[in-house]
Amino acid sequence: FYTVFLGPYPDRTMASDTLMRRVPNNTETEQERATASSSTTRDEPDTTSAADALAVEFGNLVDSANIKDMRKLQDSILLNLKQSRAMLKDFNDFSQENHGDFEHDVNKHTQIVKTIKQDLDYVFRHTRQLRERIRRAHPEAFNNIAEHLPDSEDDDSV
């Protein structure tokens, strides 16, 4: 693998000529490769020593104990995330397995509650009708006990 430094070449033809000289093909000999690489490296800056120096400087900025502590903290966070993921997967599997049973039970209970509401509505309606009949048949007796009975308007809200 060869890197090409195109910086000092103002026009593309010289850069492409240099690129073509530096890319090895199967017909080149070892000597041709060595002479091609030695002739082109004189024009290129030495990036290996600059990269090493930069890496050393970054290494000196941070204490190795801090790096170890950060690494341990990251490992514990990773472990917690893996455990949380496993727990969520188990919960999702459990939910998927039991969803059908729960759905059947909820639908059954919902139907029972609807039936009870219909029955209560019928009872309240019938009670109102009986109360109205008694009020018409015996108005004086009904007026005497009217203060003890709830208003019929309250029953309509139920």
Side-chain angles (χ1 to χ4, degrees):
F1 177 76
Y2 290 101
T3 57
V4 177
F5 181 72
L6 299 177
Y9 303 112
D11 70 293
R12 292 260 188 224
T13 57
M14 290 178 71
S16 62
D17 291 343
T18 304
L19 179 64
M20 294 305 287
R21 272 190 285 133
R22 294 191 63 217
V23 174
N25 58 24
N26 294 337
T27 59
E28 289 182 347
T29 64
E30 290 294 322
Q31 185 179 10
E32 290 174 347
R33 286 186 200 154
T35 57
S37 65
S38 65
S39 67
T40 56
T41 55
R42 282 185 233 136
D43 296 337
E44 296 178 6
D46 188 17
T47 57
T48 308
S49 63
D52 290 340
L54 184 64
V56 168
E57 287 298 319
F58 276 124
N60 292 336
L61 290 176
V62 181
D63 186 25
S64 64
N66 288 343
I67 293 174
K68 288 178 184 177
D69 290 342
M70 286 190 295
R71 179 67 182 182
K72 286 179 184 177
L73 183 63
Q74 287 177 347
D75 289 341
S76 68
I77 291 171
L78 180 63
L79 180 65
N80 287 339
L81 288 174
K82 285 181 180 180
Q83 289 173 347
S84 298
R85 176 183 271 181
M87 288 174 27
L88 285 173
K89 183 182 179 304
D90 291 341
F91 176 77
N92 285 338
D93 292 343
F94 171 78
S95 297
Q96 186 176 11
E97 290 172 4
N98 295 316
H99 178 265
D101 296 336
F102 293 140
E103 183 181 24
H104 176 70
D105 291 344
V106 167
N107 288 339
K108 185 172 126 183
H109 294 309
T110 303
Q111 188 61 39
I112 290 171
V113 169
K114 286 180 181 179
T115 304
I116 291 172
K117 185 187 180 322
Q118 288 173 352
D119 292 345
L120 288 174
D121 286 344
Y122 173 76
V123 168
F124 286 130
R125 194 176 323 114
H126 191 64
T127 304
R128 275 188 239 115
Q129 289 172 355
L130 288 175
R131 188 185 315 167
E132 189 61 32
R133 282 187 199 164
I134 292 171
R135 190 177 64 79
R136 284 187 199 143
H138 308 285
E140 65 282 342
F142 192 80
N143 288 336
N144 290 337
I145 62 167
E147 64 237 14
H148 301 292
L149 295 177
D151 292 336
S152 61
E153 297 170 1
D154 292 339
D155 291 341
D156 290 338
S157 65
V158 176

